[in-house]
Amino acid sequence: MRAAVLFGPQDLRVEEVPEPDAGDGVAVVEVQAATTCGTDVKMWRHGHRILPPYPCRFGHETAGVRADTGERVLVSDSVACGACGPCQSGRPQICRNPTWVLGGFAERIAAPAAALHPIPDALPAEAAAMAEPLAAAVHAVARGTDAGDVAILGGGPMGLMLTALIVAQGRDVTVADPHAERRAQAIDLGARSAEHLDDRHELVFEAVGRTEAWREAAAAAAPGGVVVLVGGCPTGTEVSFQTGPLHYEELELRGSFHHSPEEVDEALAALAADEALWRTLRGPTISLEELPEALRTPTRGPSKKWVVDPRS
Ligand SMILES: [Zn+2]
Ligand SMILES: [Zn+2]
């Protein structure tokens, strides 16, 4: 079969590789859609701590059909160990020893059955693939509060997914992004928009992944407010905050990482209930062979996710 194989940073080749094996508790899935995200671009450009030694496969937002049962499934990108401290305390998203399931950019992928989630009937594969990042947005919303006045810093795919979920809860959302096209997407989803967060809000989500944005999000929180930090910065990065708001205003900073299996199912249900949520993010469908060029192309304009269909 054909697969995109990463030989090192910025060295991605589409090659013939051996067929994956189904085994004990492992199923083979025929990939119908694998969406790209910012993490893929980072992995392609700089490598990533979870990539196995090179050459390796990647692609972690994958939907297709189980070869053995014919069931349509989303392939979650990880399975928690179930045994570590966080797993034992009900927080599998920060499992210390997860099994990563990468390799969606291929005709087929072998995945532990525990990573597979049934796709609602009417939901197309390219939309179902987005349940992986959307589950992280579902988790981030759960890390926040029920405040009615919400700000989201960053109108990328994560910021827009947060927007759709929180607008659907009937709350006021302001999305800040310097790009006019992304602000227009946020408005289409029912939010207000701004270039910067000038006012202060009860609940602020940071969805950029840069230290300046972490600080800007903290500065935009109202007294007693909560900031949920969703965008990851490179490991080892340090960021400083003013002590005043943390102390005198009891500002809370909360990290948010990844998702639980239940949140993946919630994300699939949300996608089935709200077409606007995935239609605004769906970019062009491309073949495996077109993937290296797509990752090389800088993303400007509206937030879009490429849809790799390895059958095309
Ligand atoms: Zn992703
Ligand atoms: Zn664990």
Side-chain angles (χ1 to χ4, degrees), residues 163-180:
T163 301
L165 293 173
I166 299 170
V167 166
Q169 295 173 340
R171 302 198 255 169
D172 267 356
V173 178
T174 303
V175 176
D177 194 289
H179 301 87

Side-chain angles (χ1 to χ4, degrees), residues 152-163:
I152 298 171
L153 187 59
M158 181 53 65
L160 294 176
M161 287 181 171
L162 289 166
T163 301

Side-chain angles (χ1 to χ4, degrees), residues 107-145:
E107 288 186 275
R108 282 170 282 285
I109 181 174
L116 304 181
H117 297 257
I119 297 174
D121 278 345
L123 192 65
E126 71 268 28
M130 293 184 206
E132 197 285 317
L134 183 64
V138 168
H139 181 65
V141 172
R143 291 285 288 152
T145 63

Side-chain angles (χ1 to χ4, degrees), residues 80-88 92 94-98:
C81 77
C84 69
C87 279
Q88 291 285 310
I94 53 168
C95 173
R96 300 296 82 197
N97 190 25

Side-chain angles (χ1 to χ4, degrees), residues 37 60-61 132:
C37 88
H60 62 273
E61 303 179 0
E132 197 285 317

Side-chain angles (χ1 to χ4, degrees), residues 30-310:
E30 305 267 354
V31 178
Q32 294 185 327
T35 45
T36 64
C37 88
T39 304
D40 295 316
V41 176
K42 279 187 218 164
M43 286 177 164
W44 170 78
R45 194 170 287 151
H46 310 293
H48 195 281
R49 67 186 172 87
I50 68 167
L51 289 172
Y54 296 112
C56 63
R57 313 281 179 80
F58 76 139
H60 62 273
E61 303 179 0
T62 312
V65 173
R66 262 182 93 139
D68 53 355
T69 63
E71 187 183 19
R72 300 171 70 235
V73 287
L74 169 82
V75 183
S76 182
D77 67 348
S78 63
V79 178
C81 77
C84 69
C87 279
Q88 291 285 310
S89 66
R91 301 176 75 174
Q93 72 279 2
I94 53 168
C95 173
R96 300 296 82 197
N97 190 25
T99 302
W100 294 102
V101 184
L102 303 176
F105 299 136
E107 288 186 275
R108 282 170 282 285
I109 181 174
L116 304 181
H117 297 257
I119 297 174
D121 278 345
L123 192 65
E126 71 268 28
M130 293 184 206
E132 197 285 317
L134 183 64
V138 168
H139 181 65
V141 172
R143 291 285 288 152
T145 63
D146 57 7
D149 165 37
V150 181
I152 298 171
L153 187 59
M158 181 53 65
L160 294 176
M161 287 181 171
L162 289 166
T163 301
L165 293 173
I166 299 170
V167 166
Q169 295 173 340
R171 302 198 255 169
D172 267 356
V173 178
T174 303
V175 176
D177 194 289
H179 301 87
E181 297 91 340
R182 294 177 175 198
R183 291 199 301 275
Q185 284 176 291
I187 289 168
D188 284 345
L189 290 171
R192 279 181 246 275
S193 80
E195 282 185 54
H196 298 282
L197 291 179
D198 297 321
D199 301 328
R200 298 176 76 188
H201 304 265
E202 296 168 69
L203 174 61
V204 182
F205 291 87
E206 187 283 340
V208 177
R210 284 206 302 268
T211 53
E212 314 86 81
W214 282 38
R215 278 196 299 267
E216 190 180 338
V226 168
V227 177
V228 182
L229 302 163
V230 189
C233 297
T235 308
T237 307
E238 292 191 4
V239 55
S240 57
F241 296 98
Q242 290 202 5
T243 55
L246 284 159
H247 182 71
Y248 294 110
E249 298 180 2
E250 296 191 343
L251 172 65
E252 275 187 67
L253 304 177
R254 300 182 185 170
S256 180
F257 178 68
H258 212 49
H259 47 67
S260 68
E262 294 74 24
E263 286 162 340
V264 175
D265 290 326
E266 274 181 59
L268 284 161
L271 287 160
D274 182 5
E275 258 189 43
L277 201 166
W278 54 269
R279 285 204 184 276
T280 188
L281 291 172
R282 184 175 64 176
T285 298
I286 59 174
S287 65
L288 276 175
E289 284 70 18
E290 291 169 300
L291 177 63
E293 185 57 37
L295 293 175
R296 214 173 286 132
T297 309
T299 43
R300 298 216 172 79
S303 292
K304 292 288 176 197
K305 296 167 78 69
W306 299 93
V307 180
V308 177
D309 183 345

